[in-house]
Amino acid sequence: MTDNSPRLDHVVLWVRDPVAAAVFYTEAVGLEPLGITDFTAGKVSFPSVRLNEDTILDLAPLSLANDMRMLPGAAESAGNPVNHVCLALTADGFEALRARLEERAVPVSDFSYGSSGARGAARRSFYFRDPDGNVFEARHYE
């Protein structure tokens, strides 16, 4: 990557079971798993899933909360919700995600139309939760 403009690198999600979370994000959401074998072998503290070439979601077990000492109060962040994370997809990717979620009986919201985001007004969007209660919005612009 030669473009050094600011971009989102990673989001750390607190999860009860990192392997189960990785399975959800791999199978239901369609993301690429990273480090699951190393996590289950005890070589790394958590697995991740790749959202795109620039961005990953780290799936941190709640047991790591006490190790979060980078800032005063950081350990208390475990379990504090982010309102939601939004995934921008192609129209086909949007349809495929919704179909995978519905196949797995993951509740999804109704569609909304024209909601504002980083690229302007989205054609359609919907919301869903992961198994740990994290809320995601899926949208497409074209």
Side-chain angles (χ1 to χ4, degrees):
M1 179 172 79
T2 57
D3 178 4
N4 288 321
S5 63
R7 52 185 85 228
L8 186 61
D9 184 84
H10 69 277
V11 174
V12 179
L13 300 175
W14 289 116
V15 299
R16 290 180 299 274
D17 180 341
V19 173
V23 168
F24 174 80
Y25 285 106
T26 300
E27 294 179 3
V29 182
L31 304 182
E32 174 190 349
L34 301 171
I36 295 171
T37 303
D38 287 342
F39 172 74
T40 58
K43 295 179 182 177
V44 297
S45 300
F46 51 84
S48 303
V49 289
R50 181 163 297 287
L51 182 61
N52 58 41
E53 68 180 41
D54 296 329
T55 310
I56 61 174
L57 302 176
D58 292 332
L59 307 172
L62 291 168
S63 60
L64 287 182
N66 288 331
D67 296 336
M68 299 289 106
R69 307 237 181 266
M70 72 288 285
L71 293 171
E76 289 78 33
S77 73
N80 287 345
V82 168
N83 183 272
H84 71 277
V85 175
C86 182
L87 308 175
L89 306 164
T90 64
D92 289 343
F94 178 88
E95 295 294 342
L97 170 59
R98 189 162 177 110
R100 284 192 306 273
L101 294 170
E102 289 175 342
E103 263 176 27
R104 290 163 177 78
V106 175
V108 296
S109 72
D110 291 336
F111 290 118
S112 60
Y113 302 90
S115 58
S116 181
R119 298 182 201 167
R123 298 254 331 229
R124 291 183 298 167
S125 64
F126 69 89
Y127 293 85
F128 65 95
R129 289 184 188 273
D130 75 3
D132 291 283
N134 295 301
V135 177
F136 283 79
E137 177 184 1
R139 63 171 46 203
H140 72 93
Y141 287 95
E142 78 272 352

